[in-house]
Amino acid sequence: MNALKNLDVWRRSCRLCVDLYKTISGCKEWGFRDQISRSALSVPSNIAEGYERDSRKETVRFLRIAKGSCGELWTQIYIGIKAGFVEKSVGMRLSQEVELVSKMLQGLIKYCHKDEVS
């Protein structure tokens, strides 16, 4: 678990999740709030699950799932802004952070593949 705590992408995704939870806590649209919460929570949770797996292949599989959740989360933030559930400036900040986490995950996936081929 210590290696996970030192992983910047995991820490960032945890902060992103907390920020999102605080942002949508007052949203009365239960379906939207539930789905976006699940997407946000999925990112750090899948990173953690991947790091607890026994093989590099399994780790990469869960990192890819986390990256997919980033796409889902980004889309839901976009819809939340357009529907008026998320203030535009806050949504844009969250979206930028999601994009950064997604890029970090892509780099980590590439690194794991490089390590696997060597």
Side-chain angles (χ1 to χ4, degrees):
M1 298 282 175
N2 282 334
L4 184 62
K5 285 193 257 183
N6 292 327
L7 191 63
D8 192 35
V9 70
W10 178 79
R11 287 194 321 268
R12 277 192 105 112
S13 63
C14 286
R15 284 194 305 268
L16 172 62
C17 187
V18 170
D19 286 349
L20 184 98
Y21 272 42
K22 289 177 180 178
T23 298
I24 62 163
S25 66
C27 181
K28 294 185 185 347
E29 292 295 326
W30 184 86
F32 174 78
R33 191 178 71 225
D34 181 60
Q35 187 61 42
I36 198 169
S37 302
R38 289 172 185 266
S39 297
L41 187 58
S42 177
V43 179
S45 297
N46 278 293
I47 294 169
E49 187 166 354
Y51 263 72
E52 288 297 310
R53 294 295 174 148
D54 293 330
S55 72
R56 193 63 89 168
K57 185 177 179 182
E58 281 287 289
T59 298
V60 168
R61 180 170 155 292
F62 281 91
L63 292 175
R64 285 186 175 138
I65 292 169
K67 189 172 181 332
S69 292
C70 283
E72 186 178 3
L73 178 57
W74 184 88
T75 299
Q76 291 160 356
I77 292 168
Y78 176 83
I79 291 168
I81 293 168
K82 294 296 185 185
F85 303 148
V86 178
E87 185 183 312
K88 186 174 182 175
S89 62
V90 173
M92 296 303 288
R93 181 181 52 78
L94 291 169
S95 292
Q96 288 173 345
E97 189 64 18
V98 172
E99 287 184 58
L100 179 61
V101 167
S102 181
K103 287 177 183 177
M104 292 172 78
L105 284 167
Q106 185 60 41
L108 189 55
I109 290 166
K110 282 183 181 180
Y111 174 79
C112 288
H113 274 304
K114 180 185 78 161
D115 210 33
E116 197 174 71
V117 173
S118 298

